[in-house]
């Protein structure tokens, strides 16, 4: 391992410490889908077809003449779901497309949107690891425990592990042994050896011993993993073996190991206690038998030319594979309890001999190449294929092991034979799309049914160091990026499940091909290990259907792989088809580009799969990695909208097969094949419910005491997730039914042109309507299951008759959702729930409420509850609303009404509120109205409509109007309670009166309400009645939100908003509102905007609790800058108003332009100040704009001086220099003596020149210097400028005029000297250095005189 980073030293933690782990969240994986009805052939040429494959005919042969089967909509939909699920289980097994022959089919997308993998995150290696690495003396190794989200490193004799997902993880160390570590392996323990707390065993091989360390892995509720180490005191002496390879069986806990000194395979045996002649740990040599196995290994013995480099185990077949340094593969059969028999020896020469029968010679498979890695293929994934080997040239060799009677089974015994079944060549060089398109074609034999030539010359994966394969075919190959091999590049590929799933084209005898998509992943470092983070993939328990990624893309976590390098851990995420579709849409560009992407999907995967994918994306299933490396659902409205349009526009049409109409007894509607859009919906629904569809609803078990325990077969969290996804689908279909043929209603029949189209559309409607009904029933059925398990379900089941109890045990989710018997059984369960609550004396209303809210179709008792509430209300009026009994009855009536608030009509509400007001139960009337408004609009459509700006002709407006009618009753209640309160004193004898308390109760209900629509309506009502003060007194977050919305369009409301903030001492927010007002487009005068800015500056300067200092400073800076500009604009406005050069008619227009919104400095300068020769304002603009152009600034100052002088002369002033001096002093103050806009080196020569040329012998000779000194300009700033003027000897400071400069130098030095004496600081002329320089200057000046 090579490390490039040097980090500081840090003491490591002690041995076996416990370290918390980071949160891990997994998300669904992408499955493939195939259609029994698709007949488009797999394209065998490099150029894709330019048109869509035709919609294929139905694969089901016409049934014999029989009476049509009468199905209910639910039965028809359930049949569709079952057919879809069965079809997805017929996904081709691996053996069918990785058969005898060769292939090189790759798709290397040029667009990252189509990439099969994407980088998720990069985790750095902790600095503390580098600290220890820098102290390594002998050796280091690195690896991953990816399933635990941990990485490890060995440094000489120490092993350290850390959770790489944490930003600052703690290290867990094993360092209490002195020998160098040579190998590390994480394994499942042998059952019964350790306590249950030990979930894994850490096997650490050193130069002396093989140590077993117990490991406990805990995962908390949020997915965070933590590990703890336990000393087992189990070790085995292995001196001289130099163990480098370890393999462990997760099924049995057996551990095998080998060293790099020989080719022997050893097994580590371990047991709980020592026995006679048997220690707790031992070893068995399974390859060298007899006395030689017991003989010690001497380190001075000659090293074997062959040794093992890798060992892997296939638990599904009980096989152990080994790879030796000579590229020999050996297969061992693991037989219980400790037997291991050598079954196959496959040498490299035999492998090459097998391959020679498939293709002619190729440099990629020559005797010079080696096998670098092997990966087992489980029996769940393939029946024939057993092993994949990767060569140093990047070729993948697929082996099968056969016995004498056929392909090897799980229990096969005896000698076997192994042969290469398939060779997968590397991708094309240069990253082109497919191998057939770019590279020379050899005479490779592609196999009996894969009739295309194969590229056998690609050197893209030459010098492959290691390779990894994970089910269902994820392949990662590490190739050195440069000649030195310091950095790697990873080639990652995966089967294109959607294309593999397409059926064969029998006309061309082309079977499914081994289509893969790949991507190059630069890691810019040296790869040390690769591990699968997510659970092992498996869409089915058998090879048929196992690799169907599309089927489980919403049901299983997305595959994630961790790549450990010497600089960090890179995690890559498998992209599901929905993710690829969403990414393709997001990056599709123009409308033409987006349509091309959809057409590509249709060409590759068919219309049905494209419809299912677009529907899933439109329902929010698409996911992507954010810029902050977090995986999140794609909620981009543009992506969702295009997916919606794609589902609608590219969904195809139903087809009537008139040739299949053979009997008039069979209705023509039954011979219609629904559209691919229907197929897409069926696919999406089946993939959502596949994990629960055939599962029993519950299971029974026995408690430790022998009692009955009933638990859900599928977790409630899982069913809730399915329900949420189906609700989104239901909402999508409801919102878009007017655009979907078959859901749009009878009006769609007006668009048909023929009778055949009408029949087809009717069949489409029947099919789609059935699916929508099934979706609704599944949603309610899941809610019923949740209600059932909220109760004591064990008692409920025991209360059932024996026959019903048996039926409940056998009830599946499909039966509950779609069969009459399931519905009847559910009703019986409801009765049992009610009877149990009655027997226990509980309030049955609780159960009724739960059923009403979550599954009303199973039981609706709303009318009964309403009658009961009305009865309570009548009794309260008879008892008197002010009595204790009357109050209890009123409270009970309110409780009952609230239970069924969603079913109440306005008549019910009007009558109840009227009676509540009559009995002074104001709070109850308000609470009931709020409950009815909320229950009547559970989707908050009214609030969404308000938040969207109240668009006209929006269907959500009806929900808003319905709510406002309810709120009018609250307004009526408020008027009545206020009127009653005014007629009664608030306090009597220091105590609140009864009416005051009831008013307080009513307003407490109002203030505590979380109904935003009601609060907004109430504030509207307040403002309409002129109750601004009442609104400002409200202390609720809704008031601020309400005023924020109103402030966008109304100055008065904006004023109320900042006043509201100011009253609440929220000065920062008040400043923000005033700032927005100052820069708004409202018709405000400049003076008003300056007023807002001034107030905003004051508020922003005031400390507001909870507001960060930085945010306050940023706002204050913005306000100050804008206030400076506004003041400049105000000066400009004043100047323009008084400027007589502007014609009167034009002046009004100019003033209107300036007296408004604060303009930019460029507009003020170019449009007004510069054109009008307002040079002082130009300088202020320079200052505000931070302008640093000396020529511009000098020219402006010169113009200002000349203009001031000219104006003074025109006014008849006798001493124009005084005006000039005053202008200089004024501008110096306003410009704060800025070095850029009040530059002394520029300004002093200008004034000196002005004094000589225009004011010679007028006024004091030192008025120029006095002007600067009056502004407190430092002497050390003036003297160098005068000195430069004196030395430069430039006009007009030549000849006798230099005398004036010399006088000013003397004057400045004198003033400076006197001030130094007066200050008493002892620093004359700023210090000794300055004094010497001044002395020299005076000497030079004196000599020139």
């Amino acid at each position: 391992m090579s490390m490039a980073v040097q980090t500081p030293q840090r003491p490591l933690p002690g041995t076996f410490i416990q370290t918390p782990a980071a949160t891990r969240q997994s998300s669904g994986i992408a499955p493939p889908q195939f259609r029994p009805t698709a007949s488009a052939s797999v394209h065998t040429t490099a150029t894709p077809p330019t048109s869509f494959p035709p919609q294929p005919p139905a694969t089901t042969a016409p049934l014999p003449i029989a009476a049509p089967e009468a199905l209910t909509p639910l039965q028809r939909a359930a049949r569709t779901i079952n057919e879809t699920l069965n079809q997805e289980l017929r996904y081709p097994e691996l053996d069918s497309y990785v058969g005898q022959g060769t292939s090189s089919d790759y798709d290397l997308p040029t667009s990252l949107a189509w990439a099969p993998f994407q980088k998720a995150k990069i985790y750095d290696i902790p600095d503390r690891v580098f600290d220890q690495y820098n102290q390594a003396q002998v050796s280091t190794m690195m690896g991953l425990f990816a399933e635990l989200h941990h990485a490890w490193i060995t440094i000489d004799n120490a092993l350290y592990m850390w959770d790489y997902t944490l930003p600052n993880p703690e290290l867990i160390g094993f360092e209490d042994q002195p020998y160098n570590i040579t190998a590390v392996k994480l394994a499942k323990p042998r059952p019964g050896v350790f306590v249950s707390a030990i979930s894994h065993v850490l096997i650490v091989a050193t130069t002396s011993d093989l140590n077993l360390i117990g490991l406990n892995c805990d995962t908390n509720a949020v997915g965070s993993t933590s590990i703890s180490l336990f000393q087992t005191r189990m070790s085995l002496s292995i001196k001289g073996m130099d163990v480098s390879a370890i393999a462990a069986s997760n099924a049995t806990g057996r551990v095998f190991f080998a060293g790099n000194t020989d080719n022997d395979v050893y097994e580590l045996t371990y047991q709980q206690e020592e026995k006679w002649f048997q220690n707790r740990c031992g070893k068995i040599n399974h390859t060298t038998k007899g006395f030689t196995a017991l003989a010690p290994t001497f380190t001075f013995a000659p090293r074997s030319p062959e040794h093992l480099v890798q060992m892997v185990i296939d638990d599904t077949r009980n096989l152990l594979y080994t790879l030796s340094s000579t590229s020999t593969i050996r297969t061992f059969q693991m037989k219980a309890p400790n037997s291991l028999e050598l079954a196959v020896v496959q040498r490299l020469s035999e492998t090459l001999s097998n391959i020679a029968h498939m293709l002619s010679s190729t440099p990629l498979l020559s005797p010079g190449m080696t096998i670098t890695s092997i990966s087992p293929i489980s029996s769940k994934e393939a029946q024939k294929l057993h092993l994949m080997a990767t060569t140093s040239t990047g070729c993948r060799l697929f082996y099968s092991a056969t016995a004498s009677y056929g392909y090897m089974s799980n229990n096969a015994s005896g000698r076997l034979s192994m042969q290469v079944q398939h060779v997968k060549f590397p991708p094309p060089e240069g990253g082109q799309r497919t191998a057939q398109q770019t590279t020379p074609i050899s005479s490779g034999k592609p196999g009996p049914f894969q009739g295309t030539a194969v590229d056998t010359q690609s050197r893209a994966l030459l010098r492959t160091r290691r390779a990894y394969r994970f089910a269902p075919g994820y392949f990662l190959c590490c190739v050195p990026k440069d000649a030195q091999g310091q950095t790697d590049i990873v080639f990652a590929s995966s089967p294109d499940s959607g294309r593999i799933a397409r059926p064969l084209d029998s006309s061309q005898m082309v079977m499914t091909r081994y289509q893969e998509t790949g991507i190059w992943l630069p890691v810019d470092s040296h790869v040390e290990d690769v591990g699968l983070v997510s659970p092992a993939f498996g869409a089915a328990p058998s090879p048929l259907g196992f690799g169907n990624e599309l089927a489980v893309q919403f049901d299983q976590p997305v595959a994630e792989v961790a790549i450990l390098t010497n600089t960090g851990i890179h995690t890559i995420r498998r992209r599901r088809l929905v993710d690829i579709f969403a990414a393709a849409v997001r990056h599709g560009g123009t409308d033409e580009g987006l349509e091309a992407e959809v057409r590509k999907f249709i060409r590759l995967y068919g219309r049905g799969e494209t419809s299912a994918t677009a529907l899933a994306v439109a329902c929010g299933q698409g996911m992507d990695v954010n810029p902050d490396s977090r995986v999140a659902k794609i909620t981009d409205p543009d992506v969702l909208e295009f997916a919606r349009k794609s589902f609608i526009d590219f969904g195809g049409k139903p087809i009537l097969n008139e040739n299949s109409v053979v009997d008039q007894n069979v209705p023509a509607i039954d011979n219609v094949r629904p559209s691919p859009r229907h197929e897409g919906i069926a696919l999406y629904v089946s993939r959502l419910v596949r994990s629960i569809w055939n599962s029993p609803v519950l299971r029974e078990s026995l408690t430790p005491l022998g009692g009955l325990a009933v638990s859900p077969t599928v977790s409630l969290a899982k069913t809730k997730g399915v329900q949420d996804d189906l609700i989104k689908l239901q909402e999508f279909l409801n919102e878009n039914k007017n655009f979907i043929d078959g859901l749009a209603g009878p009006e769609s029949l007006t668009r048909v042109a023929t009778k055949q189209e009408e029949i087809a559309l009717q069949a489409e409607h029947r099919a789609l309507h059935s699916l929508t009904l099934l979706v609704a029933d599944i949603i309610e059925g899941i809610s019923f299951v949740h209600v059932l398990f909220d109760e004591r379900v064990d008692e409920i089941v025991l209360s059932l008759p024996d026959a019903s109890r048996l039926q409940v045990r056998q009830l599946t989710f499909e039966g509950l959702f779609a069969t009459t018997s399931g519905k009847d059984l559910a009703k019986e369960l409801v009765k049992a729930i009610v009877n149990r609550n009655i027997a226990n004396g509980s309030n049955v209303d609780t159960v009724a409420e739960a059923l009403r809210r979550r599954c009303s179709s199973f039981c609706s008792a709303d009318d009964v509850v309403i009658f009961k509430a009305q009865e309570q209300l009548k009794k309260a009026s008879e008892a008197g609303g002010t009595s204790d009994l009357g109050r209890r009855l009123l409270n009970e009536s309110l409780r009952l009404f609230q239970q069924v608030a969603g079913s109440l009509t306005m008549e019910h509400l009007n009558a109840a509120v009227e009676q509540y007001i009559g009995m002074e139960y104001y709070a109850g009337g308000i609470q009931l109205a709020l409950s009815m408004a909320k229950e009547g609009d559970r989707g908050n459509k009214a609030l969404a409509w308000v938040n969207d700006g109240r668009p006209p002709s929006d269907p959500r407006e009806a929900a808003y109007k319905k709510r406002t009618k309810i709120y009018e009753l609250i307004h009526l209640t408020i008027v009545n309670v206020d009127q009653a309160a005014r007629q009664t004193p608030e306090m009597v004898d220091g105590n609140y009166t009864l009416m005051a308390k009831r008013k307080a109760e009513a307003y407490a209900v109002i203030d505590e309400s979380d109904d935003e629509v009601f609060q907004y309506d109430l504030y509207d009502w307040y403002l309409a009645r002129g109750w601004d003060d009442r609104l400002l007194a409200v202390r609720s977050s809704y008031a601020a939100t309400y005023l924020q919305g109103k402030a966008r369009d109304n100055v008065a409301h904006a004023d109320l908003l900042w006043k509201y903030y100011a009253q609440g001492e929220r000065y920062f927010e008040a400043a923000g509102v005033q700032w927005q007002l100052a820069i708004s487009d409202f018709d405000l005068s400049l003076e008003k905007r300056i007023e807002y800015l001034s107030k905003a500056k004051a508020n922003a300067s005031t400390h507001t609790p909870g507001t960060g200092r930085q945010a306050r400073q940023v706002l204050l800076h913005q306000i100050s800058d804008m206030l400076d500009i506004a003041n400049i604009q105000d000066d400009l406005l004043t100047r323009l108003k008084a400027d007589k050069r502007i014609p009167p008619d034009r002046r009004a227009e100019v003033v209107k332009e300036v007296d408004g919104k604060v303009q930019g400095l460029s507009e003020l300068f170019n449009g007004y100040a510069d054109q009008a020769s307002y040079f002082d304002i130009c300088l202020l603009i320079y200052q505000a704009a931070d302008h640093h152009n000396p020529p511009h600034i000098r020219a402006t100052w010169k113009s200002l001086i000349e203009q001031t002088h000219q104006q003074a002369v025109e006014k008849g002033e006798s001493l124009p220099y005084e005006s000039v001096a005053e202008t200089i002093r004024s501008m110096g103050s306003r410009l704060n003596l800025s070095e850029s806009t009040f530059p002394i080196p520029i300004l002093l020569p200008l004034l000196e020149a002005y004094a000589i040329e225009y004011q010679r012998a007028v006024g004091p000779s030192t008025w120029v210097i006095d002007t600067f000194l009056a502004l407190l300009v430092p002497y050390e700033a003036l003297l160098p400028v005068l000195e430069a003027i004196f030395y430069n000897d430039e006009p007009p400071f030549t000849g006798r005029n230099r005398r004036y400069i010399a006088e000013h130098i003397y004057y400045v030095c004198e003033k400076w000297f006197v001030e130094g004496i007066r200050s008493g600081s002892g620093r004359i002329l700023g210090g000794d250095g300055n004094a010497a320089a001044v002395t020299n200057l005076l000497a030079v000046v004196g000599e020139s005189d």
Side-chain angles (χ1 to χ4, degrees), residues 1241-1255:
I1242 292 176
L1243 195 52
L1244 181 54
L1246 286 176
L1247 284 177
E1248 290 287 2
Y1250 165 78
I1252 292 173
E1253 294 177 9
Y1254 293 96
Q1255 298 292 294

Side-chain angles (χ1 to χ4, degrees), residues 485-749:
Q486 296 298 314
T487 60
D488 293 334
I489 187 169
V490 177
F491 175 74
S493 66
S494 65
D496 193 341
S497 304
R499 297 168 69 183
I500 291 174
R502 312 266 329 245
L504 66 88
D505 186 342
S506 57
S507 64
Q508 299 183 16
M509 291 301 293
V510 176
M511 292 193 65
T512 303
R513 291 164 53 187
Y514 189 9
Q515 298 281 356
E516 284 189 294
T517 55
I519 185 175
W520 291 96
L521 298 171
V523 293
D524 298 325
S525 47
H526 192 269
V527 176
E528 301 290 345
D529 196 8
V530 176
L532 184 65
V533 177
S534 54
F537 178 86
S542 62
L544 192 64
F546 178 89
N548 194 348
E549 290 184 271
L550 299 184
V552 296
Q553 57 184 326
F554 314 121
D555 188 47
Q556 291 186 5
V558 175
E560 184 176 330
V561 177
I563 303 174
L564 173 66
T565 71
N566 58 345
T567 59
I569 297 95
H570 303 247
T571 57
I572 62 172
R573 177 180 176 273
R574 172 69 165 133
R575 299 182 89 163
R576 307 170 299 168
L577 194 61
V578 289
D579 303 333
I580 293 175
F581 185 93
V585 172
R586 175 179 285 184
H587 304 291
T590 62
D591 292 342
E592 293 78 6
L594 292 174
E595 184 174 343
E597 296 291 344
V598 176
R599 293 183 182 278
K600 180 178 178 181
F601 258 89
I602 295 174
R603 185 175 66 250
L604 294 178
Y605 307 116
R607 284 187 182 272
E609 187 62 57
T610 301
S611 296
T613 304
L615 177 61
V617 173
C619 292
Q621 291 285 3
M623 303 182 75
D624 201 358
V625 178
N626 287 340
D628 58 354
S629 300
R630 290 186 302 174
V631 178
K633 289 192 174 182
I634 295 176
T635 58
D636 187 344
D638 293 336
V639 175
L640 302 185
E641 175 62 17
F642 185 80
R644 182 191 74 86
K645 290 181 178 179
S646 299
F647 172 75
I648 295 172
D649 297 341
F650 295 93
K653 294 182 178 181
I655 298 176
L656 172 62
N657 188 357
E658 298 183 53
N659 295 328
S660 63
V661 180
V662 296
D663 195 316
Q664 295 296 327
N665 293 327
V666 179
I669 194 173
D670 289 336
N671 294 306
V672 174
R673 178 177 178 269
S675 67
R677 184 185 299 108
H678 168 270
E679 180 186 353
I681 297 176
L683 280 170
Y684 183 52
V685 173
S686 67
R687 289 167 180 174
L688 290 178
V689 302
R690 71 182 304 274
S691 60
I692 68 172
W693 186 253
N694 293 317
S695 299
V697 173
L698 52 80
R699 58 168 171 254
E700 296 182 3
S701 59
L702 295 178
T703 64
L705 298 178
L708 176 67
V710 180
S711 58
T713 305
V714 181
S715 70
L716 297 181
K718 176 67 175 179
T719 55
K720 183 65 170 63
V722 173
Q723 184 185 46
D724 292 341
D725 290 335
L726 288 172
I727 289 174
K728 293 178 182 177
L729 171 62
Q730 185 182 52
E731 292 174 349
F732 174 84
L733 295 177
N734 289 336
E735 292 170 358
N736 295 279
K737 62 182 179 181
N738 293 332
F739 308 105
I740 300 174
D741 289 341
L743 291 179
E747 60 272 11
S748 59
L749 292 174

